[in-house]
Amino acid sequence: MSNSPSMVDDILSEYQGLEAQLSDPELHNDPAAARKVGKRFTQLQPIIQTYNKLQSAREDHEAAQEMAQEDSEFAAEATRLEGEIETLEEQLTDLLAPRDPHDADDIVMEIKSGAGGEEAALFAGELARMYQRYAERHGFTTEILGLNETDLGGVKDMTLSIRAKNPGRDGAWADFKFEGGVHRVQRVPVTESQGRIQTSAAGVLVYPEPDEVEDVEIDEKDLRVDVYRSSGKGGQGVNTTDSAVRITHLPTGVVVTCQKERSQIQNRARAMQVLAARLQQMKEEQIEAEQAEGRAAQIRTMDRSERIRTYNFPESRVSDHRIGYKANNLDAVLGGDLEALFGALKEAERAKRLEAEG
């Protein structure tokens, strides 16, 4: 078995320590600290549960072997348990393998229409609904932090927060992290009278959300904050007060806006949440790029210019170009049925991870 006993011992010790902290009423006086401890405790639970099952199977196997010497009927049970032990050992090895440290995190997602005018904006809106439907089916809550629509109901740009309802499951990052990149659509637009197929695009950006904005170092002197009147479809004013907020981070040029809340204070807080997520991601990407110099790129990439997927309406086909995935169920996918696609992406990531270890 490839996982070392010392690694398991360390995790058992950490788990017991977290359990003790969670039972201490003092911890819950600090909600941020309690969230961090609870998140880590949840992350370790599958490892502990698998380890306990393995230990139990080993004990049962030992007993069955002893009994088989006196009664041959126990030989079959010993053989069955050998298979169970092998399966559990593989599962434990997989769980102990290095994995994405952000898998338990919530996310901020930005969707922007690209080349293709109104058709691209309509497609961006369809992508947003696809993600919202998948989230609803899988125990996530979505909240629109910012939205800029076109007259026909398309999306010029949208910012979403996606969070797990149940702290006992993986965070949104584990499911949505593969979505960053350029999504291309091929179809006859509603605005096309000649029946010609047009290619349009939308960009998706995905960032893990920090537990607290304060976890990311942001100097107030580096910010330019502008307030303006919230707008609706086609840029029409929908608010009589200057409650919308645009924050520019001067050192990086990152610009975030929020206009969904009623008050300027709430919109500023939301905009800071998005800014913190983007700055954290930029910092991590820089470190990752430095570490990955001269090393093969991983399956997941946050390259904003990469065309990752094509949605072909005439053939009802979805193609993910990173892993060669193709399926002719476009309507279902746009309806939020992303299980097979996400499953294939996760399996490809897992295979890369195990290959890197090997």
Side-chain angles (χ1 to χ4, degrees), residues 331-349:
D331 286 346
V333 165
L334 290 174
D337 183 357
L338 294 163
E339 290 83 356
L341 175 54
F342 282 6
L345 286 161
K346 287 178 181 179
E347 184 53 38
E349 183 195 44

Side-chain angles (χ1 to χ4, degrees), residues 21-68:
Q21 286 184 66
L22 287 169
S23 64
D24 182 355
E26 281 292 313
L27 174 70
H28 300 278
N29 292 333
D30 183 346
R35 268 199 306 276
K36 285 182 181 177
V37 172
K39 181 185 281 189
R40 181 60 179 159
F41 183 77
T42 299
Q43 279 180 296
L44 294 183
Q45 274 182 326
I47 298 173
I48 299 300
Q49 288 165 359
T50 304
Y51 174 76
N52 288 338
K53 285 179 188 175
L54 177 57
Q55 291 297 90
S56 177
R58 284 173 174 165
E59 289 168 10
D60 290 346
H61 178 254
E62 193 177 325
Q65 279 186 314
E66 288 178 11
M67 296 294 287

Side-chain angles (χ1 to χ4, degrees), residues 293-333:
E293 206 168 331
R295 196 175 70 216
Q298 295 297 303
I299 188 72
R300 180 179 61 80
T301 173
M302 293 297 293
D303 181 356
R304 310 304 187 214
S305 63
E306 183 195 15
R307 189 191 72 204
I308 64 166
R309 194 173 302 143
T310 297
Y311 304 74
N312 184 301
F313 274 72
E315 297 176 26
S316 187
R317 186 178 67 241
V318 177
S319 308
D320 195 287
H321 308 298
R322 296 163 295 180
I323 59 172
Y325 176 94
K326 289 184 180 179
N328 293 91
N329 63 339
L330 180 58
D331 286 346
V333 165

Side-chain angles (χ1 to χ4, degrees), residues 222-259:
D222 290 337
L223 303 180
R224 186 177 74 229
V225 181
D226 301 304
V227 294
Y228 57 99
R229 199 157 294 180
S230 297
S231 60
K233 289 182 181 180
Q236 291 180 320
V238 295
N239 199 324
T240 56
T241 61
D242 291 339
S243 62
V245 173
R246 180 191 302 111
I247 299 179
T248 305
H249 186 249
L250 300 173
T252 60
V254 170
V255 179
V256 295
T257 61
C258 188
Q259 62 180 43

